[in-house]
Amino acid sequence: MMTANVELESTIQRVREEVAALHGELVRYGLVVWTGGNVSGRVPGADLFVIKPSGVSYDELGPEDMILCDLDGNVVPGTPGSERSPSSDTAAHAYVYRNMPEVGGVVHTHSTFAVAWAARGEEIPCVITGMADEFGGPIPVGPFAVIGDDSIGRGIVETLRGHRSRAVLMQNHGPFTIGVSARDAVKAAVMVEDVARSVHYAREAGPLIPIPQDRIDALYARYQNVYGQAEDDRR
Amino acid sequence: MMTANVELESTIQRVREEVAALHGELVRYGLVVWTGGNVSGRVPGADLFVIKPSGVSYDELGPEDMILCDLDGNVVPGTPGSERSPSSDTAAHAYVYRNMPEVGGVVHTHSTFAVAWAARGEEIPCVITGMADEFGGPIPVGPFAVIGDDSIGRGIVETLRGHRSRAVLMQNHGPFTIGVSARDAVKAAVMVEDVARSVHYAREAGPLIPIPQDRIDALYARYQNVYGQAEDDRR
Amino acid sequence: MMTANVELESTIQRVREEVAALHGELVRYGLVVWTGGNVSGRVPGADLFVIKPSGVSYDELGPEDMILCDLDGNVVPGTPGSERSPSSDTAAHAYVYRNMPEVGGVVHTHSTFAVAWAARGEEIPCVITGMADEFGGPIPVGPFAVIGDDSIGRGIVETLRGHRSRAVLMQNHGPFTIGVSARDAVKAAVMVEDVARSVHYAREAGPLIPIPQDRIDALYARYQNVYGQAEDDRR
Amino acid sequence: MMTANVELESTIQRVREEVAALHGELVRYGLVVWTGGNVSGRVPGADLFVIKPSGVSYDELGPEDMILCDLDGNVVPGTPGSERSPSSDTAAHAYVYRNMPEVGGVVHTHSTFAVAWAARGEEIPCVITGMADEFGGPIPVGPFAVIGDDSIGRGIVETLRGHRSRAVLMQNHGPFTIGVSARDAVKAAVMVEDVARSVHYAREAGPLIPIPQDRIDALYARYQNVYGQAEDDRR
């Protein structure tokens, strides 16, 4: 029992470090401003996840600042960071972890071009081979939902369950991404903004050439096969 | 009396440090070029504010370079930095402090997308939930006004008094933002450019989906409640 | 024989260092995100080239991480980096080296504006003198081709052989560039994104002024003459 | 005589340092890629100017790398840097110094948005107060001209002589800027891209509001008066 606790503590610490560091990737790729955006990561082997505190500068996000929550989104008392409030999107993250056991990480940003598609409630068509590789088709739009109940989390899960895409554009809001790990979800957040931007510019200058569905399928299958589904491989 | 003076000196020094450091945020978020743009902060408990000098590089803005002014915009003689001229927008900042006692900070930039909306004299519609949170509705346009008298300051105050938005787009000019503190006004300057950019790209590709007014109201109310109105909380 | 081997080893090491360092230029100019994009360089005097490993962060690309391949794209066993997989675009690079002996370097990115033109299958018209200098005319589009056989490599070679341009926009995919050296190919990757962006913005605001063909020819001839064709001169 | 020489050497050294450092500003503001772009500065009190070498990375531009030229654009033999070729735009810079004695610095870039206006041969209308301050009206377009004779220099001089603007968009080419000093010309290069970008985005979304000519005149007059014409003041 004590051994199990020691091991769990060590796992939690590793997830804290990983999630804290991954926030730096949101800054590096220009996906967030001020204190907006958030990354969370599930603690493997426990009904817990680690998430960013609310309203704290990206310059000050060390492992001990991350907040440990249970799968109902409640802060675990007495743990490092628990004196602060977790991200105001914590309920949405928790809903995803409760309902999608295969998900190891969740990311939310207000990245510019993904938000632009979301403000029109328009899915991003799959016209780039890199997008077929990564998302296997278009990036779908989720329902309009506001903070305050489970509606954001439910909208994410209902849109992404059974979908190839790991990214959803919540209408009038912005992108949420999921992954087998926090790192994988961050990669999806980076890639969804990249394709949102490229396809925006492509389309504003003239008609897009569609990629035939069988080629999209082949590209996606190859990419999943080559890079696999495991956390370590989807880097 | 001496105690009061010592305390005031210490407060002024703190505001100098805060205002000097906040100029770095304008650079970090790409809101300014060369020596353009300026941040000011009110000295709590005194009829004074601290502002950037005119025409000085952002690389050289330490606390002692900031300039102390009274609420008529006159430099306080004999104080650090007083040998230089304050920002050419000082009169506008002073007008705001004189007429809006609840304002603790003012920021002005020529950030790209906010200027683009200003050059058309067009308000930014509220089609993003993050914008509803932060500004509670559209970003309004202020009158065309030129430097040389009180017309810029008056335009800011007349537009923002009683308005939820802490940002105004002065026509053909650019954004001015206010806040409960200098930090809060800088946050508003960062966020107004962020939404100006996202909504620009959103709209150029097709029709926007409006957010119903009651949802905007609910989002704004929640955000004010969660983050509060106090300086420390709106970070 | 031993001398020859020692010399070859030294050449390989130099190419490893050059190719590793050049990946930093892709990051510096914002041409890549996450682990996307790749640079390769031919080993002079041998049927070998050096290329980026697959799925490794740009922060971790030292000379020993580069992978040595033969001209069929097979990893040379027992050499540094050979425990990893080379870039999934290795077959395309190998095809170019086999079929274009004058090529010393190949680069592939998904840079935003080049991808936007590629998603429309539209060549970039030559309306900027700097583009006439560098590419001698429009940037051509290559066929739609998917990973898995020689079709990408073949598309690059068929499009660029005998063409002035060192860059091709593979339809629905992105730019591939070639050069007399890896550095020259990276320069072409930087320049193709630069002109893709400038011409995108130019055209979206109104009609472009064409440059007469004889002026394009003169600009290209002068640039080739001044800067020469040698690796060291095309910097 | 010896004293005069010592003084001249010291002045040349100061200009070398200033011009070398100013190239960093082109990088900082994203106005150049690879080795493109160039800054030159006149040596006060002599028929000489200092300019960037051709084809050298921005990472390697120290004072001793700058090249000293006479006003015909010939390299002064035996001086530091004279073993290299000066920028291929040297003839254009020299022409400006010969024909505009009031000019102390010249800058050329291929910055994105200024090039976009140049590719359409379209002047940038003055719809932003900051542009009225800085340039006193629209940014004019110069003729199509190619490297090889005096036609670029002549086009710059004929367009800017007697014009308020310190920037000209050479058709199908890009911006050249002049100033009372090299620093002032660099400022103009930064500002012309800034306004080219803002007005591009402004106009693509709807009709622009013109600024009445008398307001433009008043803004320009005030700015010249406040900041003066001297090198030190236009910072």
Side-chain angles (χ1 to χ4, degrees), chain D residues 35-57:
Chain D
T35 64
N38 40 72
V39 178
S40 70
R42 190 193 287 269
V43 179
D47 286 341
L48 297 168
F49 67 97
V50 161
I51 193 167
K52 172 170 164 283
S54 176
V56 176
S57 164

Side-chain angles (χ1 to χ4, degrees), chain C residues 28-29 127 129 209 215 235, chain D residues 34 59 119-120 146 172 204:
Chain C
R28 183 206 295 232
Y29 289 107
V127 294
T129 56
I209 302 179
R215 308 316 291 170
R235 312 200 310 167
Chain D
W34 212 249
D59 297 340
R120 295 189 308 271
V146 293
N172 293 112
E204 93 182 309

Side-chain angles (χ1 to χ4, degrees), chain D residues 25-161:
Chain D
E25 299 294 310
L26 303 188
V27 173
R28 184 206 295 232
Y29 289 107
L31 306 185
V32 290
V33 299
W34 212 249
T35 64
N38 40 72
V39 178
S40 70
R42 190 193 287 269
V43 179
D47 286 341
L48 297 168
F49 67 97
V50 161
I51 193 167
K52 172 170 164 283
S54 176
V56 176
S57 164
Y58 277 85
D59 297 340
E60 301 162 22
L61 293 181
E64 305 312 302
D65 301 306
M66 299 297 108
I67 300 182
L68 187 67
C69 297
D70 65 27
L71 295 196
D72 292 318
N74 300 311
V75 177
V76 179
T79 56
S82 61
E83 70 287 359
R84 276 177 170 153
S85 300
S87 163
S88 56
D89 295 303
T90 298
H93 290 243
Y95 190 96
V96 173
Y97 290 119
R98 279 203 308 280
N99 289 279
M100 300 183 88
E102 71 278 21
V103 167
V106 178
V107 174
H108 173 50
T109 79
H110 291 173
S111 63
T112 298
F113 287 91
V115 165
W117 290 88
R120 295 189 308 271
E122 188 177 11
E123 70 173 26
I124 309 175
C126 183
V127 293
I128 303 171
T129 55
M131 190 178 166
D133 288 344
E134 191 68 36
F135 296 106
I139 308 291
V141 173
F144 180 78
V146 293
I147 287 177
D149 55 20
D150 275 347
S151 59
I152 293 181
R154 209 165 49 233
I156 298 167
V157 170
E158 286 171 2
T159 311
L160 294 186
R161 182 176 277 158

Side-chain angles (χ1 to χ4, degrees), chain C:
Chain C
M1 196 61 180
M2 203 180 85
T3 311
N5 275 350
V6 167
E7 200 176 313
L8 179 59
E9 286 305 311
S10 156
T11 302
I12 291 170
Q13 184 57 25
R14 185 178 57 72
V15 177
R16 283 181 178 278
E17 286 166 11
E18 185 186 7
V19 170
L22 284 167
H23 282 93
E25 299 294 310
L26 304 187
V27 173
R28 183 206 295 232
Y29 289 107
L31 307 186
V32 291
V33 299
W34 212 249
T35 65
N38 39 74
V39 179
S40 71
R42 190 193 288 269
V43 178
D47 286 342
L48 297 168
F49 67 97
V50 160
I51 193 166
K52 172 169 164 282
S54 177
V56 176
S57 163
Y58 277 85
D59 297 340
E60 302 163 20
L61 292 181
E64 305 312 301
D65 301 306
M66 299 296 107
I67 300 182
L68 186 68
C69 296
D70 66 26
L71 296 195
D72 292 319
N74 300 311
V75 177
V76 179
T79 55
S82 61
E83 70 286 0
R84 276 177 170 153
S85 301
S87 163
S88 56
D89 295 303
T90 298
H93 290 243
Y95 190 95
V96 173
Y97 289 119
R98 280 205 306 282
N99 289 278
M100 299 183 88
E102 71 278 22
V103 167
V106 179
V107 174
H108 174 49
T109 79
H110 292 173
S111 63
T112 299
F113 287 90
V115 165
W117 290 88
R120 295 189 308 271
E122 188 178 10
E123 71 173 25
I124 308 175
C126 183
V127 294
I128 304 171
T129 56
M131 190 178 168
D133 289 344
E134 190 69 35
F135 296 107
I139 308 292
V141 173
F144 180 78
V146 292
I147 287 177
D149 55 20
D150 274 348
S151 59
I152 292 181
R154 209 164 50 232
I156 298 168
V157 170
E158 286 171 3
T159 310
L160 294 185
R161 181 175 277 158
H163 202 291
R164 285 178 182 171
S165 173
R166 311 198 307 293
V168 53
L169 307 173
M170 293 300 284
Q171 184 194 306
N172 292 111
H173 187 166
F176 281 83
T177 60
I178 58 175
V180 294
S181 65
R183 183 174 185 80
D184 188 34
V186 170
K187 183 187 180 189
V190 171
M191 298 310 290
V192 76
E193 180 65 7
D194 195 55
V195 300
R197 181 171 49 229
S198 292
V199 180
H200 173 91
Y201 287 126
R203 198 180 60 172
E204 93 182 309
L208 302 172
I209 302 179
I211 304 180
Q213 187 63 44
D214 67 321
R215 308 316 291 170
I216 292 177
D217 295 347
L219 285 162
Y220 182 66
R222 186 202 65 85
Y223 195 75
Q224 298 307 306
N225 198 46
V226 170
Y227 287 90
Q229 293 283 355
E231 176 176 344
D232 285 321
D233 289 347
R234 204 189 254 166
R235 312 200 310 167

Side-chain angles (χ1 to χ4, degrees), chain B residues 33-35 54-55 59-60 88 110 112-113 115-116 119-121 144 146-147 171-173 200-201 203-204, chain D residues 25 28-29 127-129 183 186-187 190-191 197-198 201-202 204-209 211 215 222 227 235:
Chain B
V33 299
W34 211 250
T35 65
S54 177
D59 297 340
E60 302 163 19
S88 56
H110 291 172
T112 299
F113 287 90
V115 165
R120 294 189 309 271
F144 180 77
V146 293
I147 287 177
Q171 184 194 306
N172 292 112
H173 187 168
H200 173 91
Y201 286 127
R203 198 181 60 172
E204 95 182 306
Chain D
E25 299 294 310
R28 184 206 295 232
Y29 289 107
V127 293
I128 303 171
T129 55
R183 183 174 185 80
V186 170
K187 182 186 180 190
V190 171
M191 299 309 290
R197 181 171 47 229
S198 293
Y201 286 127
E204 93 182 309
L208 301 172
I209 302 180
I211 304 179
R215 309 315 291 170
R222 186 201 65 86
Y227 287 89
R235 313 199 312 163

Side-chain angles (χ1 to χ4, degrees), chain A residues 151-174:
Chain A
S151 60
I152 292 181
R154 208 164 51 233
I156 298 168
V157 170
E158 286 171 1
T159 310
L160 295 185
R161 182 176 277 157
H163 202 291
R164 285 178 181 171
S165 174
R166 312 199 305 294
V168 53
L169 307 173
M170 294 299 285
Q171 185 193 308
N172 293 111
H173 187 167

Side-chain angles (χ1 to χ4, degrees), chain B residues 154-223:
Chain B
R154 207 164 52 233
I156 298 167
V157 170
E158 286 172 2
T159 310
L160 294 185
R161 182 176 276 157
H163 202 291
R164 285 179 181 170
S165 174
R166 311 199 305 293
V168 53
L169 307 173
M170 294 299 284
Q171 184 194 306
N172 292 112
H173 187 168
F176 281 82
T177 61
I178 58 175
V180 294
S181 64
R183 183 174 185 80
D184 188 34
V186 170
K187 182 186 181 190
V190 171
M191 300 309 290
V192 77
E193 179 64 7
D194 195 56
V195 301
R197 182 171 47 229
S198 293
V199 180
H200 173 91
Y201 286 127
R203 198 181 60 172
E204 95 182 306
L208 302 172
I209 302 179
I211 304 181
Q213 187 63 45
D214 66 323
R215 309 315 291 171
I216 292 176
D217 294 347
L219 285 161
Y220 183 65
R222 185 202 66 86
Y223 195 74

